[in-house]
């Protein structure tokens, strides 16, 4: 079977600032919560983003790599610490210049820039004031958004407000795996709300600066759970509808308040907030990797530990081991989950969709071929991508307006708490020399884009 994609479908790859840029002390950039987190023993092997892929210096040849790949679009993030580098001060011209060069460099190569405004690298000075627990953070991030949009304007194809607010709230305040790693379950909820508020304010800031031209979006990593109906319903409520409903429908479900009654009173939701949050967007970005398997258990609510992550409001749910095969992250491979998720979100929310991330961490091995060239034969990654592209195409055949697909990631990079141990790239990065080697999956993807089909 061959799955085909329309001419105007956006094939791309995705990255994020802290994961690739390095140059953390250059041109006025201030520290972010991820610099602090990675420098204080929260990552595997003590890895940090200090150098990462050195994209800050190698951006031109990396954009050439994108051009070789033939992508229609490139999704990258702007680092707020490069722009609002001094608390309360003027925007940093060097930071704005850098991202303007990226945008112009992409356009010169015929590639549409998709800008994520917040991919987790909050300035540490805002982290010091509570980060996403502090309502003021939403306003500071919206101000920064206006500065970026004013400068980059309508050269940007799509402005994405937040990447995965589920991670910036639950994993960061409820759990300990992401910065600042507080591990205080119920504190997830004010973070959820302030991120939602930031999204709404950021949407308004972009529109005020650039008008109707560029598209507006947000990227969510919805949790697609299978298992018994009650547990699936609750997981969906806490993980997904806590973002989808305020952003796309203008309310928090009453059920959410009921399910979390013993954990927080939601008094941080102020009059008028939901009107601010509920802004029209053009496309909804979904990051999809795997599914989970859940069941109700007899255990009491939080603070009982739940699976690997603290997940308040789901204290009576058990996460069961999923059926294999699993990727190097330990995530199960479930392409049908992508199909089902796309169909479900379209059915319920009626907003055009983009897969803003999908990809696989593999045990990649760099080999030297008889002719001396280097290669990575990542057949398992190609198989993973092929099956997920097919699942997406099936959803499109059933009427889901899917506008694009971004492979995570253009190149191996700093995988947050896992440091450099997990390779998601379709380009291999030798971190000693910074040499880039396109993997077999790169060449495979090149052919997919050129033929606009997956065989
Ligand atoms: C996320 C982020 C990416 C990750 C990728 C692989 O989903 O955590 O958006 O930055 O690197 O998803 O885990």
């Amino acid at each position: 079977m061959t799955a085909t994609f329309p001419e105007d479908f956006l094939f791309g790859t995705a990255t994020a600032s802290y994961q690739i840029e390095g140059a953390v002390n250059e041109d006025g950039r201030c520290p972010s919560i991820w610099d602090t987190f990675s420098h204080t023993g929260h990552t595997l092997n003590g890895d940090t983003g200090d150098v990462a892929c050195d994209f800050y210096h190698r951006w031109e040849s990396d954009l050439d790599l994108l051009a070789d790949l033939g992508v229609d679009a490139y999704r990258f993030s702007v680092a707020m610490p490069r722009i609002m580098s001094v608390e309360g001060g003027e925007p940093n011209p060097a930071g704005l210049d850098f991202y303007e060069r990226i945008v112009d460099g992409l356009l010169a190569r015929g590639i549409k820039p998709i800008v994520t405004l917040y991919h987790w690298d909050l300035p540490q000075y805002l982290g010091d004031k509570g980060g996403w627990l502090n309502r003021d953070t939403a306003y500071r991030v919206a101000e920064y958004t206006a500065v970026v949009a004013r400068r980059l304007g309508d050269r940007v194809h799509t402005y994405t407000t937040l990447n995965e607010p589920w991670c910036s709230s639950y994993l960061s305040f409820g759990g300990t795996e992401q910065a600042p790693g507080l591990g205080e379950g119920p504190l997830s909820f004010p973070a959820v709300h302030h991120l939602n508020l930031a999204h709404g304010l950021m949407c308004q800031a972009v529109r005020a600066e650039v008008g109707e031209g560029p598209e507006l979006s947000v990227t969510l990593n919805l949790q697609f759970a299978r298992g018994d109906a009650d547990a699936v319903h609750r997981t969906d409520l806490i993980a997904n509808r806590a973002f989808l409903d305020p952003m796309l429908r203008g309310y928090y479900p009453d059920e959410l308040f009921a399910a979390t009654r013993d954990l927080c009173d939601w008094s941080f939701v102020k009059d008028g907030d939901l009107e601010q949050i509920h802004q029209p967007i053009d496309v909804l970005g979904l990051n999809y990797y795997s599914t989970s398997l859940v069941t109700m258990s007899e255990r009491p609510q939080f603070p009982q530990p739940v699976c690997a992550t603290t997940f308040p409001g789901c204290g009576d749910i058990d996460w069961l081991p999923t059926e294999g095969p699993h990727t190097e992250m330990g995530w199960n491979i479930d392409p049908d989950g992508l199909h089902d998720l796309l169909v479900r979100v379209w059915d319920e929310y009626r907003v055009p969709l983009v897969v803003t991330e999908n990809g696989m961490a593999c045990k990649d091995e760099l080999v030297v071929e008889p002719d001396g060239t280097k290669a990575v034969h990542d057949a398992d990654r190609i198989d993973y991508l092929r099956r997920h592209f097919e699942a997406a195409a099936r959803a499109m055949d059933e009427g889901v307006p899917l506008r694009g697909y971004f492979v995570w990631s253009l190149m191996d990079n700093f995988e947050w708490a896992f440091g450099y141990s997990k390779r998601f790239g379709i380009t291999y990065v030798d971190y000693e020399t910074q040499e880039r080697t396109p993997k077999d999956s790169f060449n495979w993807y090149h052919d997919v884009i050129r033929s606009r089909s997956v065989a």
Side-chain angles (χ1 to χ4, degrees):
M1 192 198 101
T2 300
T4 56
F5 295 84
E7 275 311 311
D8 60 356
F9 192 77
L10 295 182
F11 284 109
T13 61
T15 60
S17 45
Y18 190 69
Q19 296 182 274
I20 63 165
E21 286 178 0
V24 291
N25 293 317
E26 277 177 60
D27 295 336
R29 178 188 181 277
C30 73
S32 77
I33 57 173
W34 264 96
D35 294 277
T36 307
F37 196 67
S38 64
H39 276 272
T40 48
H42 293 94
T43 59
L44 194 68
N45 304 320
D47 287 347
T48 72
D50 287 4
V51 178
C53 307
D54 195 31
F55 177 81
Y56 194 74
H57 300 115
R58 292 166 196 268
W59 62 272
E60 278 198 276
S61 47
D62 285 336
L63 298 196
D64 288 342
L65 196 61
L66 279 168
D68 292 344
L69 181 57
V71 289
D72 305 302
Y74 174 54
R75 171 178 182 252
F76 64 99
S77 79
V78 171
M80 185 172 173
R82 293 200 191 279
I83 310 294
M84 309 311 268
S85 46
V86 179
E87 185 175 10
E90 290 297 309
N92 173 21
L96 287 165
D97 290 349
F98 175 66
Y99 293 108
E100 181 166 71
R101 285 196 292 272
I102 304 299
V103 165
D104 289 342
L106 287 168
L107 293 173
R109 289 164 178 80
I111 301 169
K112 295 180 170 62
I114 311 290
V115 169
T116 305
L117 291 153
Y118 181 74
H119 201 129
W120 309 353
D121 40 3
L122 193 71
Q124 183 58 51
Y125 62 77
L126 292 180
D128 291 342
K129 296 184 167 164
W132 291 107
L133 298 182
N134 185 345
R135 183 181 172 88
D136 187 57
T137 296
Y139 293 90
R140 300 287 81 80
V141 171
E143 277 168 20
Y144 141 80
T145 296
V147 168
V148 174
R150 196 171 307 143
R151 180 65 173 268
L152 302 180
D154 61 8
R155 287 173 285 178
V156 169
H157 181 276
T158 306
Y159 285 97
T160 302
T161 57
L162 309 172
N163 176 71
E164 302 192 354
W166 181 86
C167 294
S168 320
S169 51
Y170 294 109
L171 287 191
S172 305
F173 292 93
T176 55
E177 30 293 84
Q178 305 226 334
L182 245 52
E184 297 281 353
L187 289 184
S188 301
F189 298 118
V192 165
H193 179 63
H194 295 143
L195 282 151
N196 282 330
L197 180 61
H199 161 76
L201 298 172
M202 293 165 85
C203 286
Q204 296 175 60
V206 171
R207 280 289 172 247
E209 295 297 335
V210 302
E212 294 302 314
E215 293 187 343
L216 255 177
S217 183
V218 60
T219 281
L220 303 177
N221 58 327
L222 300 180
Q223 304 297 306
F224 193 87
R226 302 185 188 282
D228 72 62
D230 287 350
V232 166
H233 184 81
R234 178 87 63 75
T235 308
D236 183 52
L237 177 70
I238 304 282
N240 303 335
R241 287 168 60 204
F243 301 103
L244 287 167
D245 284 2
M247 287 179 181
L248 298 171
R249 292 177 170 159
Y251 58 78
Y252 284 109
D254 285 339
E255 254 188 285
L256 178 63
F257 299 136
T260 57
R261 199 176 34 222
D262 301 338
L263 304 171
C264 89
D265 63 6
W266 292 82
S267 57
F268 41 79
V269 181
K270 305 293 180 203
D271 280 354
D273 281 2
L274 284 152
E275 288 74 35
Q276 300 285 345
I277 295 169
H278 184 209
Q279 297 298 320
I281 58 171
D282 301 291
V283 284
L284 173 66
L286 300 181
N287 291 353
Y288 177 86
Y289 293 91
S290 64
T291 53
S292 50
L293 188 61
V294 294
T295 184
M296 298 308 287
S297 82
E298 296 308 311
R299 291 187 302 160
Q301 282 266 324
F302 185 83
Q304 281 303 96
V306 186
C307 74
T309 66
T310 310
F311 208 179
C314 290
D316 48 1
I317 291 174
D318 268 339
W319 268 256
L320 304 174
T322 48
E323 231 176 86
H326 297 96
T327 70
E328 275 292 288
M329 295 295 284
W331 299 345
N332 70 328
I333 300 176
D334 186 354
D336 286 341
L338 175 59
H339 164 271
D340 298 356
L341 179 69
L342 292 170
V343 169
R344 182 240 150 154
V345 175
W346 167 243
D347 277 354
E348 283 187 38
Y349 291 93
R350 294 285 146 177
V351 58
L353 303 171
V354 172
V355 174
T356 35
E357 283 179 30
N358 173 245
M360 180 185 183
C362 305
K363 243 195 184 64
D364 290 321
E365 219 185 301
L366 186 71
V367 295
V368 182
E369 304 288 25
D371 66 357
T373 56
K374 291 178 182 163
V376 177
H377 301 305
D378 55 342
D380 35 4
R381 182 176 287 108
I382 293 175
D383 185 59
Y384 176 99
L385 290 172
R386 175 188 290 119
R387 292 168 61 200
H388 284 80
F389 273 114
E390 279 168 2
R394 238 185 312 131
M396 291 170 79
D397 285 346
E398 291 163 27
V400 175
L402 184 69
R403 304 282 194 241
Y405 204 118
F406 291 75
V407 170
W408 185 270
S409 177
L410 170 63
M411 54 190 158
D412 297 333
N413 58 47
F414 175 75
E415 180 54 25
W416 307 111
F418 297 92
Y420 297 100
S421 68
K422 304 292 181 217
R423 293 181 177 272
F424 271 92
I426 56 173
T427 305
Y428 186 93
V429 175
D430 178 334
Y431 294 111
E432 295 294 313
T433 61
Q434 291 295 345
E435 187 185 359
R436 274 73 161 140
T437 304
K439 303 178 190 177
D440 288 355
S441 56
F442 182 103
N443 299 322
W444 173 84
Y445 193 32
H446 172 267
D447 293 344
V448 168
I449 299 170
R450 201 184 36 195
S451 65
R452 314 207 76 79
S453 67
V454 175

